[in-house]
Amino acid sequence: DAKTTQPPSMDCAEGRAANLPCNHSTISGNEYVYWYRQIHSQGPQYIIHGLKNNETNEMASLIITEDRKSSTLILPHATLRDTAVYYCIVRVANNAGNMLTFGGGTRLMVKP
Amino acid sequence: DTGVSQNPRHKITKRGQNVTFRCDPISEHNRLYWYRQTLGQGPEFLTYFQNEAQLEKSRLLSDRFSAERPKGSFSTLEIQRTEQGDSAMYLCASSLDGPATTEAFFGQGTRLTVV
């Protein structure tokens, strides 16, 4: 699975959009981009995934560049409860299961 | 269904003792995963079951570690002769069968402290 690079930490003001970048310059054509987050003392939580098109769900939007070498997770109106570590993961979509390779993630601090 | 359940939530044990953790996945999920997470790091994959069959084991899973899923429902992770380096959060996740785009649901983990 391709390696990802994320900033170790970011701050965001409550109510503003949080834009979390991820670099995956070695991504292959059959690899998806996934985002999970982990709130303190809880297990990771799935947020969103995509292949090459931008995706949106009730939690977030995922913007993938045309060359697929980077992506941005957008939380449109961050709240204090969005304070968490956000993990960007790249992996092949096959039937081999959810054996996810987590990196260090980005620690997002949402401030009032 | 209340999601993936792990017990106990916390375990303190003396070095050299054996410990066993339990994971109850979401009922219709036939895939179950164990991960380990040390302080300040992301989770690391340990092993994976499809129904009762253990299909993948990480090299992190030393001989002292054993996982079972006897009836394809709940799973146990046993650590024998615990060492201080085993102190970590042990996370269980489950998912439906299908491609890897199927999301994994994680439990809240069991925090092990070896003293």
Side-chain angles (χ1 to χ4, degrees), chain A residues 56-100:
Chain A
T56 296
N57 63 19
E58 66 279 2
M59 289 183 69
S61 294
L62 174 60
I63 308 298
I64 303 174
T65 58
E66 193 167 341
D67 64 7
R68 303 208 324 122
K69 293 185 177 182
S70 65
S71 60
T72 302
L73 179 74
I74 300 172
L75 308 177
H77 306 286
T79 71
L80 299 178
R81 288 176 294 182
D82 292 321
T83 292
V85 178
Y86 287 77
Y87 295 101
C88 170
I89 299 166
V90 173
R91 62 159 293 126
V92 175
N94 55 31
N95 284 323
N98 261 294
M99 294 169 288
L100 303 169

Side-chain angles (χ1 to χ4, degrees), chain A residues 32 34 36 38 41-46 49 87 91-104 107, chain B residues 9 31 33 35 37 40-45 48 50 56 89 91 95 98-104 106-108:
Chain A
Y32 282 71
Y34 295 80
Y36 280 76
Q38 188 171 24
S41 297
Q42 296 185 21
Q45 176 191 24
Y46 166 84
H49 74 272
Y87 295 101
R91 62 159 293 126
V92 175
N94 55 31
N95 284 323
N98 261 294
M99 294 169 288
L100 303 169
T101 302
F102 290 82
R107 184 172 299 277
Chain B
R9 291 293 311 280
R31 291 183 173 174
Y33 315 82
Y35 287 79
Q37 185 174 25
Q41 305 296 314
E44 297 171 293
F45 169 76
Y48 149 58
Q50 173 133 349
E56 288 284 341
M89 175 77 83
L91 292 160
S95 71
T101 53
T102 307
E103 65 183 280
F106 283 80
Q108 296 197 46

